[in-house]
Amino acid sequence: MDLPRTPPFASEMLPPGLWIAPLAIIHLFLAQLALGGGLLITFFEWQAKRQGEELLREFLHRIFTTLVLITFVSGVICGIAVWLTLALVAPRGLLLLVREFHWLLAAAWVFLCLQVAAGTTYWMHGRFLSYRRRLAVAAAFALAAWLSLFWVNGVLSFQLTPGGWIDDGGVWAGFFNRTLWPMIAGRTIASITVAALAACIAAHTIGGHDPADRADIVRAATPLLVPLLLMPGAAVWFLCVARGLRGVSVTGAGASITVVFLLAAGVSFVLGGLALITLRGRRAGLSLPAAILLLALAFIATTATELLREGLRKPFLVSGALYSNGVLVEEGEELRRVGVEAFDTWPLRDEDHYPAGAVRHGRRVHRLLCAACHAPRGLNGLLHLSRRWDREMLLFNLRRLDRLKPCMPPFCGSDADLEALADYLLWLREEG
Amino acid sequence: MERLLEAPLYPALYLATLSLHLAVISFPLGGAVILPLLEPARGSAAEVLRDVIRRPLALSIVLAITAGVAPLLFLQVLYPEAFCAAGAILGLWRPCLVAALAIAIILACLVRSALFRRWSLGARLAVELGILLSLGAVGMVFTISRQLGERADLWRERAADADLWSLLWSALPGGAMVLLSAVVGCGVWVLWLLRRSQKRGQISPGERFAAEETVLWICLPLTLAITGGIPLVLGDGGAPLLRRGLIVASALTAVGFALRLRRLALGRLLATAAALCALAGILLVREARRVDLLGEAFDPGSLAAAAEKGGIVAFIVCTLLSAGAIAWTVRIALWEPDGDTGASAGREIS
């Protein structure tokens, strides 16, 4: 495999890897809301058609802009932000995914276009369409959203479990990997759940409905919480097929991953329990505070699940192929032999700031091998992480970081690179 | 040009999707220029024109963003190194343009609300200039990114010192050309939207022609200026035949506008067809120049290898299915009675 060696980007205070996480989580939550919104309007349209219920149709018209269109548009904008940020902080990871899966990502795009077309038509003309046609447009929106998720999710799950692709099994072997279907099941269930909760909140907060109408709308949305009962099954399915990944086995798990796993499991359990109670007392319906609480829990569960997925993937961007610092696994040997300076020939941006020699060399090593996740200072900064280590300790630990912390990639530099990185860290410490 | 044709699949897809994106983005970008110009004007023509531009403004930005995803994808397949090098040099500026996009959409939603119409002239101008600045900033960042991406000889120097002011300065002529072209593109869109509004009985024929005259008097001189500016901006870039064709297409757009001023229906069709040809021409010239400038950094061999990656059949099937469904929804949108995208929707937003 051959990936271009693009200029590395290094931030001084905030590790670039951390920029992606909030953007990606917000994008995911909004995208789930938009997909779930599509499924919700289809379900409500179907119910309205079956029961001749005008209330639901009127409600859909009023919430469509907020619940579906705004979340969809914000989701797309956040998605582009994630993409452009990835191009900056993990260019080689992005290039690998684009090179392998551009046709499938393009397929996701054509369904995004259909989503826009169907959504706009429903929004502009929905009120004037026949029942059947309205239902068909809503279904087209939901189906397009789900198919878009399908293609993108395949690429995301590939990063975690690339399957036969690693052995040159090709694009399809990578796409239909073992975590694809459990992840799709989990995301679909999550989408339906958050949309049902958002609909309950909208029913309580939008004016113009009397209490009986509100209760009717909430009752109509409550069946959409039923799939949440399948979530534990989807989670167990995921954990079973992901067996063998670092972190899934209890012994290999880092403390942070274990905490995130417990958080995701705990919040999902509470969410499921509350949903079950709601379903049992369906006649009373879901109150506004309960719906807000459940939606907040759903957001926390989504965040924890995404952090867990990221944690499980480490130290790789693409498991077994590309380390999180953008070095291909197969490049590791060459890097150790020739050293970082022969590999990364791009000039330093602030070269005069560093004393010539080992420190400048060390800055280059930091930029290529560490900067993707660790800024020199600030949050998760190298200065803070290595503050108690003297030079001997630095050399000892840096050389075997992957054995000390399973989430770290091996040090892929020469002995001279290692010495230079230690000098750079000591210089940083002197600078304060 | 020959190197571009060695692996024609990706350039063709890139240019087709980019044309679609630019055709759509010309409406909000050009509209953002026209709206502040029209804001102080009184009379029904200006009122009709403002309304025709404001109503679909937010939607057109969303459509342009969606249409822009595919060219962004194919750009990375075509020029992976150039895309990432430009991104690393520009640093956070490129991801930050997403914030400008979000601001533009929020402001565009605001201008179509009933509340906005009750604001003072100054406040309305400030909002419309906000849209122009936001979209203009996005356009400038992408123009700089493109110019950086095609100058492989500058990457090392710029990687050491980005010097954003000089980058901005050098991108100004290109950015100005994009803005002027967007106004012309918006003018073409407006001609069609006015026709549709009249057909639906939303405006009278008199109002339509008065509004058309206003927009044509904005677009006609700009089109002539663009026609004259093409040789200056392009220099020796692109094949001579293509360059001449581009000038002819631009001139024909001006002729179309002039004919429309004389109320000939042919003028609108001619202006539309010529403007589309000019758009395709400028994109072809630009890509040919980019490939020439990139030299060895553009590798047609790797594109041929990329094309053999699996999934093309899935893409074609999905495209056909999706295109059929989109055609069906567009048919509904065009033939069904108009929905509440006008004043009533504005009231709801307010």
Side-chain angles (χ1 to χ4, degrees):
Chain A
M1 198 188 314
D2 182 33
L3 285 176
R5 291 170 188 179
T6 53
F9 178 77
S11 161
E12 279 306 305
M13 291 301 285
L14 196 61
L18 287 187
W19 302 347
I20 297 284
L23 279 174
I25 288 165
I26 294 170
H27 164 64
L28 180 74
F29 195 71
L30 289 171
Q32 282 182 350
L33 208 50
L35 165 60
L39 295 168
L40 176 98
I41 57 168
T42 309
F43 178 66
F44 271 23
E45 283 291 348
W46 175 68
Q47 274 201 334
K49 181 172 180 284
R50 212 178 48 159
Q51 298 165 3
E53 183 93 63
E54 269 309 310
L55 174 68
L56 290 182
R57 189 157 290 142
E58 177 62 26
F59 174 70
L60 281 182
H61 177 73
R62 299 184 71 177
I63 65 161
F64 187 74
T65 312
T66 321
L67 182 64
V68 184
L69 273 191
I70 292 181
T71 51
F72 167 67
V73 172
S74 320
V76 170
I77 290 178
C78 274
I80 293 173
V82 171
W83 193 342
L84 292 176
T85 312
L86 262 181
L88 181 64
V89 303
R92 300 185 97 207
L94 184 68
L95 290 183
L96 190 150
L97 295 181
V98 166
R99 182 194 281 186
E100 295 299 315
F101 296 105
H102 53 275
W103 292 121
L104 308 186
L105 291 170
W109 172 72
V110 296
F111 287 118
L112 188 71
C113 292
L114 174 57
Q115 216 180 331
V116 172
T120 310
T121 305
Y122 187 89
W123 176 51
M124 287 168 68
H125 304 276
R127 275 193 160 182
F128 306 94
L129 300 180
S130 64
Y131 286 171
R132 180 176 289 190
R133 190 169 273 190
R134 213 173 128 105
L135 178 61
V137 174
F141 179 87
L143 186 64
W146 190 85
L147 286 169
S148 197
L149 165 87
F150 171 75
W151 292 117
V152 174
N153 191 67
V155 177
L156 290 179
S157 61
F158 158 83
Q159 284 183 271
L160 192 62
T161 47
W165 175 86
I166 288 279
D167 309 317
D168 207 17
V171 167
W172 291 115
F175 184 83
F176 287 106
N177 60 79
R178 61 186 202 265
T179 51
L180 170 73
W181 293 110
M183 275 174 74
I184 284 184
R187 288 190 201 281
T188 308
I189 294 169
S191 301
I192 297 171
T193 305
V194 293
L197 294 172
C200 290
I201 293 172
H204 283 294
T205 49
I206 287 181
H209 290 134
D210 59 36
D213 285 349
R214 283 179 195 164
D216 282 347
I217 295 167
V218 171
R219 268 199 294 275
T222 308
L224 290 173
L225 291 175
V226 172
L228 187 59
L229 302 176
L230 300 174
M231 191 58 118
V236 170
W237 185 13
F238 174 80
L239 290 173
C240 287
V241 295
R243 213 170 29 201
L245 281 174
R246 187 195 59 77
V248 174
S249 64
V250 178
T251 49
S256 54
I257 293 183
T258 309
V259 169
V260 169
F261 174 73
L262 290 174
L263 182 68
V267 172
S268 300
F269 180 75
V270 172
L271 192 63
L274 288 174
L276 196 61
I277 292 167
T278 306
L279 286 170
R280 278 177 65 88
R282 208 183 142 190
R283 198 169 290 173
L286 200 61
S287 67
L288 179 62
I292 292 174
L293 175 70
L294 288 179
L295 193 63
L297 286 176
F299 183 75
I300 295 170
T302 304
T303 305
T305 312
E306 284 312 294
L307 291 177
L308 180 68
R309 188 176 62 81
E310 287 286 310
L312 290 178
R313 207 179 59 207
K314 286 194 169 180
F316 296 103
L317 273 176
V318 174
S319 292
L322 184 71
Y323 289 121
S324 47
N325 54 13
V327 174
L328 286 166
V329 171
E330 64 195 43
E331 286 172 341
E333 273 310 306
E334 185 200 349
L335 249 172
R336 278 187 205 99
R337 190 168 45 80
V338 301
V340 161
E341 286 196 304
F343 194 85
D344 168 21
T345 55
W346 293 96
L348 285 174
R349 180 158 280 191
D350 41 3
E351 190 143 355
D352 295 339
H353 180 66
Y354 308 101
V359 173
R360 207 173 280 181
H361 179 182
R363 167 67 176 176
R364 206 177 269 281
V365 177
H366 163 257
R367 188 178 67 166
L368 186 77
L369 300 181
C370 321
C373 305
H374 302 281
R377 299 179 177 83
L379 190 64
N380 207 27
L382 285 183
L383 200 56
H384 171 72
L385 293 172
S386 64
R387 66 190 180 283
R388 292 175 204 278
W389 299 349
D390 59 15
R391 188 180 161 78
E392 296 309 311
M393 190 79 141
L394 272 172
L395 291 173
F396 182 83
N397 285 345
L398 289 174
R399 199 186 298 276
R400 46 184 67 71
L401 270 178
D402 54 324
R403 275 170 275 169
L404 293 172
K405 286 189 171 184
C407 60
M408 293 291 291
F411 183 79
C412 296
S414 63
D415 288 344
D417 292 335
L418 190 67
E419 300 259 352
L421 182 59
D423 287 336
Y424 171 65
L425 292 175
L426 292 172
W427 175 79
L428 275 179
R429 203 175 292 174
E430 279 171 26
E431 272 230 315
Chain B
M1 195 58 153
E2 292 76 23
R3 295 184 67 215
L4 203 58
L5 294 174
E6 278 179 45
L9 182 60
Y10 291 107
L13 279 170
Y14 171 62
L15 291 176
T17 51
L18 186 62
S19 304
L20 180 68
H21 167 66
L22 291 180
V24 180
I25 196 72
S26 67
F27 181 79
L29 190 55
V33 177
I34 295 174
L35 273 181
L37 295 176
L38 286 176
E39 201 53 64
R42 288 166 187 270
S44 66
E47 185 59 42
V48 166
L49 208 47
R50 279 197 293 262
D51 198 45
V52 156
I53 295 175
R54 276 178 193 158
R55 263 195 288 165
L57 198 61
L59 179 63
S60 63
I61 299 175
V62 172
L63 292 179
I65 292 172
T66 310
V69 171
L72 198 62
L73 174 68
F74 290 121
L75 181 72
Q76 283 167 78
V77 180
L78 271 171
Y79 313 109
E81 203 173 354
F83 181 80
C84 290
I89 293 166
L90 280 173
L92 280 175
W93 286 102
R94 207 163 65 178
C96 279
L97 61 83
V98 175
L101 271 181
I103 292 170
I105 292 178
I106 292 166
L107 294 179
C109 287
L110 192 62
V111 297
R112 72 192 288 275
S113 69
L115 179 71
F116 180 78
R117 288 157 214 252
R118 293 199 290 273
W119 285 5
S120 68
L121 175 65
R124 291 201 307 269
L125 266 176
V127 170
E128 287 167 351
L129 285 172
I131 299 174
L132 176 59
L133 280 177
S134 309
L135 291 180
V138 176
M140 276 311 286
V141 171
F142 270 120
T143 305
I144 294 173
S145 177
R146 179 176 56 77
Q147 290 193 351
L148 263 177
E150 65 192 22
R151 294 292 305 274
D153 55 321
L154 281 182
W155 290 346
R156 306 194 68 77
E157 187 189 322
R158 296 296 186 203
D161 178 13
D163 192 9
L164 288 172
W165 286 114
S166 78
L167 288 175
L168 187 66
W169 189 248
S170 63
L172 269 182
M177 202 70 170
V178 168
L179 208 60
L180 295 182
S181 310
V183 176
V184 174
C186 179
V188 174
W189 277 110
V190 167
L191 293 181
W192 287 99
L193 288 171
L194 285 169
R195 176 176 177 268
R196 186 166 178 263
S197 293
Q198 190 208 324
K199 276 197 159 184
R200 295 192 164 207
Q202 292 160 339
I203 55 172
S204 67
E207 285 174 323
R208 173 190 166 186
F209 288 119
E212 279 193 357
E213 267 187 12
T214 310
V215 81
L216 286 169
W217 280 119
I218 295 173
C219 292
L220 185 57
L222 284 182
T223 315
L224 291 172
I226 291 170
T227 310
I230 288 171
L232 296 175
V233 173
L234 286 184
D236 294 334
L241 187 66
L242 210 53
R243 257 195 337 261
R244 278 198 289 276
L246 185 56
I247 293 169
V248 170
S250 183
L252 280 177
T253 311
V255 172
F257 284 148
L259 289 176
R260 189 61 205 155
L261 265 178
R262 302 192 68 84
R263 301 198 178 182
L264 290 173
L266 175 70
R268 191 182 55 243
L269 290 170
L270 180 63
T272 309
L276 286 173
C277 288
L279 176 64
I282 190 75
L283 291 180
L284 270 176
V285 171
R286 215 172 67 171
E287 285 320 297
R289 194 174 67 170
R290 174 157 33 194
V291 168
D292 285 345
L293 283 169
L294 279 173
E296 292 303 309
F298 174 71
D299 178 17
S302 71
L303 291 182
E308 286 166 15
K309 299 274 180 197
I312 189 166
V313 176
F315 170 65
I316 292 169
V317 171
C318 290
T319 304
L320 290 176
L321 283 174
S322 190
I326 289 173
W328 172 68
T329 55
V330 168
R331 197 177 135 262
I332 291 175
L334 290 179
W335 292 99
E336 293 294 330
D338 199 9
D340 51 347
T341 53
S344 64
R347 276 196 295 279
E348 263 178 34
I349 287 170
S350 72

